[in-house]
Amino acid sequence: MKRLILPLFILSMNVQAATLFTDDFEGNLSQWTTTGSAQIVADPLQADNALNFTAVTLGGDTFTSSTIAGTVAGDSYILDFDYLGTCTDGNCGGFIGYSQAQPGNHVWLAGTFPQYISGGFKSNVLDDNNTWQHYTINFTSLYDDFNLMLEDFSFSGTEPLDAYFDNIVLTDANGPSAIPEPSIIALFGLGLVGLGFARRRMRS
C-alpha cells in the first residue's frame, strides 16, 4: 500500500499584547490621583480633549489612582502615548514614567530634559514643536505593581498649561493573547476536511 503523506498546516496567530491600562482623556480623571494641577482641557489642535497641567512640579504630579494590576519587576512593557508642547522656548517640561507608590521610587521614561530621564531611556526626549507627536517606549520594569506618572517639570523654566498628554496605552509585552484571524480559522477548517477525506481514502 502506498503511504499517503499529508501536508502539515502551521497556523500563524495574530498575536496581540494584553492591554493593561488606557486613557484618552475624553471622560474624567477618575483613573488618576493628582495634586490638583492636572486637568482635562480641549485639545488646542484637534477636536477632542487632552490632559495638561495648571502648575509645574517635580517628583511626580499625577499618578494612576491604583497600581497597574499584574505588573511585575523584570517583565517587559510597551508604553504608547501622544505628546504636545506649545511653549515658545522649546522646553515645555512634559515628563512621563512609572513609580513604585506615589511618588516613591520612580523612573522617568521620557521627558524634555535628557539629563532627568532615567537609565537607558535618555534618548526619549519629547519634542516641543507645537505638533502632536506619537511615542512608543519598550521598557523592563524595576518594580512590582507600579503606577504610571505624569508631570510638567518645574525646572523647565516655562509657564504651566503648555505640556499636553493624550492616548496613553500600556501593554504587557510578555503576556500576549493569541487570537486567530478569521482567515486562519477558515484555513484550519479546510485542513480538517482534507484530513478526513484523506483518511477515508486510506481506509478504502
Side-chain angles (χ1 to χ4, degrees):
M1 175 186 283
K2 291 184 179 178
R3 189 174 289 178
L4 181 63
I5 301 176
L6 298 177
L8 176 64
F9 290 94
I10 301 176
L11 298 182
S12 63
M13 296 293 185
N14 177 24
V15 177
Q16 298 178 347
T19 301
L20 301 177
F21 179 87
T22 181
D23 199 347
D24 61 5
F25 302 111
E26 295 306 308
N28 52 43
L29 288 175
S30 62
Q31 296 192 87
W32 301 87
T33 296
T34 178
T35 60
S37 66
Q39 61 178 356
I40 294 177
V41 296
D43 186 328
L45 302 182
Q46 303 177 34
D48 59 2
N49 295 331
L51 177 142
N52 74 357
F53 308 86
T54 61
V56 292
T57 57
L58 55 84
D61 172 89
T62 301
F63 302 83
T64 50
S65 299
S66 57
T67 57
I68 308 298
T71 50
V72 178
D75 280 0
S76 297
Y77 300 92
I78 303 168
L79 180 63
D80 286 281
F81 63 95
D82 297 329
Y83 174 75
L84 167 68
T86 60
C87 58
T88 57
D89 68 351
N91 196 337
C92 302
F95 270 76
I96 186 169
Y98 66 97
S99 174
Q100 186 184 47
Q102 303 176 22
N105 299 316
H106 59 255
V107 175
W108 291 114
L109 297 173
T112 58
F113 280 79
Q115 61 268 37
Y116 292 103
I117 304 172
S118 306
F121 305 101
K122 293 185 182 299
S123 61
N124 296 327
V125 178
L126 303 182
D127 293 325
D128 294 316
N129 55 13
N130 207 37
T131 60
W132 280 105
Q133 302 287 330
H134 181 77
Y135 296 87
T136 298
I137 299 175
N138 294 268
F139 68 97
T140 299
S141 175
L142 297 179
Y143 312 118
D144 295 326
D145 302 321
F146 63 75
N147 300 69
L148 293 178
M149 62 177 179
L150 306 166
E151 76 174 20
D152 191 344
F153 189 35
S154 59
F155 286 0
S156 61
T158 63
E159 298 299 321
L161 304 174
D162 55 13
Y164 296 79
F165 287 94
D166 204 358
N167 301 316
I168 297 175
V169 179
L170 179 73
T171 54
D172 185 353
N174 296 284
S177 54
I179 304 174
E181 296 178 354
S183 60
I184 296 300
I185 295 175
L187 179 62
F188 181 66
L190 288 174
L192 290 178
V193 171
L195 179 61
F197 179 74
R199 292 184 64 182
R200 182 173 297 179
R201 288 192 59 188
M202 289 177 66
R203 287 176 181 174
S204 63

